Amino acid sequence: MSTKHWFLLQYKPNSHRLALRNLHRQGFETFLPMLAVTQRHSTKFVQQARPLFPGYMFVSFELDTAPWRKINSTVGVTRLVSFNSRPKALPTDLIAGRSVCNGG
């Protein structure tokens, strides 16, 4: 029996929204931790949400059954981080404490 694990993927510069949308359309669960950043524009301060890890997000799938190879050809995605041509699952406790604030 196979279980879902979390993996790391790299998205193209400034393409996290595009990558999220296209991965969701393909049925993949994603997690993109966001950070609230305050910046000054002219005379006022503006708060924006920015990715906590610029260029990277997490994706969940079953390695044995999911069509994970199509992630590399998804619009907005650079590549699924892999070792020896196979993605390596992240420790489950790394994602277990994730908040409800899922990027999108």
Side-chain angles (χ1 to χ4, degrees), residues 4 19 42 51 63 83 91-92 98 100:
K4 277 190 173 182
S42 296
L63 188 61
F83 302 95
T92 53
R98 69 187 177 116
V100 179

Side-chain angles (χ1 to χ4, degrees), residues 77-92:
V77 173
T78 299
R79 67 186 175 94
L80 189 59
V81 177
S82 301
F83 302 95
N84 294 326
S85 300
R86 194 148 169 94
K88 176 83 172 138
L90 297 169
T92 53

Side-chain angles (χ1 to χ4, degrees), residues 11-25 30 32 34 48-51 57 74-77 103-104:
Y11 57 84
K12 294 180 181 176
N14 300 312
S15 296
H16 60 278
R17 288 181 194 92
L18 183 62
L20 282 170
R21 183 173 52 240
N22 289 314
L23 288 165
H24 289 170
R25 284 181 183 162
T30 60
L32 178 62
M34 302 295 277
Q48 297 176 330
R50 300 273 171 107
M57 73 174 70
T74 299
V75 175
V77 173

Side-chain angles (χ1 to χ4, degrees), residues 6-78:
W6 288 94
F7 301 88
L8 185 65
L9 72 79
Q10 183 179 20
Y11 57 84
K12 294 180 181 176
N14 300 312
S15 296
H16 60 278
R17 288 181 194 92
L18 183 62
L20 282 170
R21 183 173 52 240
N22 289 314
L23 288 165
H24 289 170
R25 284 181 183 162
Q26 295 176 56
F28 290 103
E29 183 180 357
T30 60
F31 176 55
L32 178 62
M34 302 295 277
L35 179 67
V37 176
T38 304
Q39 292 183 321
R40 184 177 174 174
H41 290 282
S42 296
T43 60
K44 62 181 179 177
F45 290 93
V46 178
Q47 193 169 28
Q48 297 176 330
R50 300 273 171 107
L52 182 60
F53 306 110
Y56 296 91
M57 73 174 70
F58 304 97
V59 62
S60 177
F61 56 86
E62 295 179 20
L63 188 61
D64 298 331
T65 59
W68 58 267
R69 286 181 174 83
K70 68 181 181 179
I71 291 174
N72 287 333
S73 60
T74 299
V75 175
V77 173
T78 299

